[in-house]
Amino acid sequence: MDTSVRILKRATLAFGEFGYDATSLDDLARALDIRKQSILYHYPSKELLLEACVRQAIADLSVALDEAIRKSSYGWERIESIVKRVFRLANNRPELLGLLREVTRLGPPILTNAVEGMRPLLDGATVWLIEEMENGRVRRSDPELLVLSAYSTIMGAATEVKLFEALGEESTIRHVAMRRKELLRFLKIALIP
Amino acid sequence: MDTSVRILKRATLAFGEFGYDATSLDDLARALDIRKQSILYHYPSKELLLEACVRQAIADLSVALDEAIRKSSYGWERIESIVKRVFRLANNRPELLGLLREVTRLGPPILTNAVEGMRPLLDGATVWLIEEMENGRVRRSDPELLVLSAYSTIMGAATEVKLFEALGEESTIRHVAMRRKELLRFLKIALIP
DNA sequence: ACCATTGCCTACCAAGTGGTAGAAATAGAG
DNA sequence: CTCTATTTCTACCACTTGGTAGGCAATGGT
């Protein structure tokens, strides 16, 4: 595999799981069995590496969501499809959502970039919600607020696996499925008229 | 004020806002206008300082929640009271919730400690919920799951201010109030039969 | 007056940080 | 084969990190 891609994947893993500050280029190089300077050849600085990771993560997320959107039609069906897709993503590639959370934690300037990258996604969701509300398929409320609430709710539900484990809740597939089901029930009651 | 208390407060602020790794003892000492070794006199290591901060944060949180609980009675009234209290806390002392989120990010071993400290709180909430469900004041569902979902939802809504700011949403008091209202509406629909 | 304890300090250190300079290897094109 | 560009490497650096060793002043009990 291309070295720069290997670096990107590993960095996304590390940044998403342990955080940006806690991940040193030396660590990364060791894990990849290359020299640190090879990393700095492909990505001139640690911050630029992070940027690249975030860009890729958002791209991957967009692809996944587009898939979920195309596979479904309207109203509740589509919401359900999206939530399920996000949970699947959280299961298969937890580092992606972890990285996004990390970015909101780090704040500007990297967050500003990331937000620009996500805006089409969020705007699309907002526009769609407005339409659905007008057609009476979704309960009326402030659509932007709703998108952001949904974002942080799904994010929380999908990424706080560590917390569940620490609480002694086993985090088997079945448990994740239960939490997903519970969240869906919640969302359905709250969103659908 | 007692030096050790000053250190604790400042460390909680810094850990909660910028994260554990991003906060150096030198930074802290500079901000407090004391020498780093004075910090290490009161708290023998950075990790023990973090532990102390977390302990105190949980204690403060417990006090705030107890207050909210005592002030309210049952059913929806109490849930509303708690949510409002948490939002007030997120407004007055955002570093508290920030620190707790940071702890879940850091994972074990510190998370294990923190979870032990929070267990009475969570268990209390679970027991109360079971009672409310049996009395028909709260919609039936898995109570433990519900507590954790509520935790991550409220946490997300209360702490993701940075994200909202980056999105260009002004984060005025009015906007926070709106988000609180929205969350309450959401919870009411989802929880109350 | 004495001494032990407390609290804060100066001086220092080994390890690790992100990053620079530039050599050596590799590979494709003519 | 040779030239050139790409890629990976060794060697190094200035700086920051958490933490140790030990001194020095204040305090208060005996």
Side-chain angles (χ1 to χ4, degrees):
Chain A
M1 201 200 304
D2 195 6
T3 307
S4 70
V5 175
R6 284 182 64 221
I7 296 172
L8 204 70
K9 293 207 167 190
R10 194 82 205 192
T12 303
L13 268 168
F15 290 156
E17 167 134 23
F18 308 110
Y20 178 71
D21 297 303
T23 303
S24 73
L25 295 182
D26 289 285
D27 291 342
L28 276 178
R30 218 169 300 131
L32 288 161
D33 197 29
I34 59 175
R35 258 28 70 190
K36 172 169 60 173
Q37 290 64 20
S38 303
I39 300 178
L40 287 165
Y41 168 76
H42 291 280
Y43 306 92
S45 78
K46 195 187 176 185
E47 201 172 335
L48 287 171
L49 172 57
L50 175 62
E51 259 181 48
C53 290
V54 171
R55 215 188 332 273
Q56 188 58 51
I58 292 176
D60 291 355
L61 182 64
S62 301
V63 167
L65 291 186
D66 274 346
E67 200 184 296
I69 288 171
R70 264 201 314 279
K71 206 159 53 179
S72 57
S73 55
Y74 291 104
W76 174 246
E77 192 194 327
R78 177 167 283 186
I79 294 176
E80 193 176 10
S81 170
I82 288 173
V83 170
K84 284 185 176 174
R85 192 66 188 83
V86 173
F87 262 79
R88 188 147 66 87
L89 204 63
N91 191 48
N92 294 342
R93 303 189 56 196
E95 73 276 11
L96 278 195
L97 302 189
L99 183 63
L100 290 182
R101 160 158 293 191
E102 172 74 356
V103 167
T104 72
R105 195 184 69 85
L106 290 171
I110 181 73
L111 176 57
T112 319
N113 276 338
V115 156
E116 285 318 307
M118 296 201 62
R119 203 177 289 278
L121 232 54
L122 297 173
D123 284 352
T126 308
V127 167
W128 179 77
L129 265 180
I130 292 174
E131 216 180 287
E132 295 294 286
M133 285 178 190
E134 279 173 2
N135 291 341
R137 281 192 287 262
V138 170
R139 214 185 279 268
R140 268 185 200 284
S141 70
D142 184 317
E144 290 192 10
L145 229 51
L146 186 56
V147 168
L148 294 177
S149 296
Y151 174 85
S152 72
T153 302
I154 295 177
M155 205 69 161
T159 59
E160 253 156 16
V161 180
K162 266 199 227 167
L163 180 63
F164 288 82
E165 281 170 357
L167 275 163
E169 300 273 331
E170 316 148 55
S171 187
T172 58
I173 302 175
R174 189 150 21 103
H175 277 80
V176 174
M178 274 180 63
R179 291 202 291 125
R180 196 188 68 178
K181 194 176 145 198
E182 198 77 358
L183 177 63
L184 282 172
R185 204 179 58 85
F186 240 69
L187 287 175
K188 189 167 191 175
I189 296 173
L191 294 180
I192 306 303
Chain B
M1 201 201 301
D2 195 7
T3 307
S4 70
V5 175
R6 285 182 63 222
I7 296 172
L8 203 71
K9 292 205 169 191
R10 194 82 206 192
T12 304
L13 268 168
F15 290 157
E17 167 133 24
F18 307 110
Y20 178 71
D21 297 304
T23 304
S24 72
L25 295 182
D26 289 283
D27 291 341
L28 275 179
R30 218 170 298 131
L32 288 162
D33 197 31
I34 59 176
R35 260 25 73 188
K36 173 170 60 171
Q37 288 65 20
S38 304
I39 300 177
L40 287 165
Y41 169 74
H42 291 280
Y43 305 93
S45 79
K46 194 187 178 187
E47 201 172 335
L48 287 172
L49 172 58
L50 174 63
E51 259 181 47
C53 290
V54 171
R55 216 189 330 272
Q56 187 60 51
I58 291 177
D60 291 355
L61 182 65
S62 301
V63 167
L65 291 185
D66 274 347
E67 202 184 296
I69 288 172
R70 264 201 314 280
K71 207 160 55 181
S72 58
S73 54
Y74 292 105
W76 174 245
E77 192 193 328
R78 175 166 284 185
I79 294 176
E80 194 175 10
S81 172
I82 288 173
V83 170
K84 284 185 176 173
R85 191 68 188 82
V86 172
F87 263 78
R88 187 146 66 86
L89 204 65
N91 191 48
N92 295 342
R93 302 190 55 197
E95 73 275 11
L96 278 196
L97 302 190
L99 182 63
L100 290 182
R101 160 159 294 191
E102 172 73 357
V103 167
T104 70
R105 195 184 68 85
L106 290 170
I110 182 72
L111 176 58
T112 319
N113 276 338
V115 155
E116 284 317 308
M118 297 202 61
R119 204 178 286 279
L121 232 55
L122 296 173
D123 284 352
T126 309
V127 168
W128 179 77
L129 265 180
I130 292 174
E131 217 179 285
E132 295 293 288
M133 285 178 189
E134 278 174 3
N135 291 339
R137 282 192 287 262
V138 170
R139 214 185 277 269
R140 270 185 198 285
S141 71
D142 184 317
E144 292 192 8
L145 228 52
L146 186 53
V147 169
L148 294 177
S149 295
Y151 173 85
S152 74
T153 303
I154 296 177
M155 205 70 162
T159 60
E160 252 156 18
V161 180
K162 267 198 227 166
L163 180 64
F164 287 82
E165 282 170 357
L167 275 164
E169 300 272 332
E170 315 148 55
S171 187
T172 58
I173 301 176
R174 187 148 26 99
H175 277 78
V176 174
M178 275 179 61
R179 288 202 293 125
R180 196 187 68 178
K181 194 176 144 197
E182 198 78 0
L183 177 62
L184 282 172
R185 205 181 58 85
F186 185 82
L187 286 176
K188 189 166 190 175
I189 296 173
L191 292 180
I192 306 301

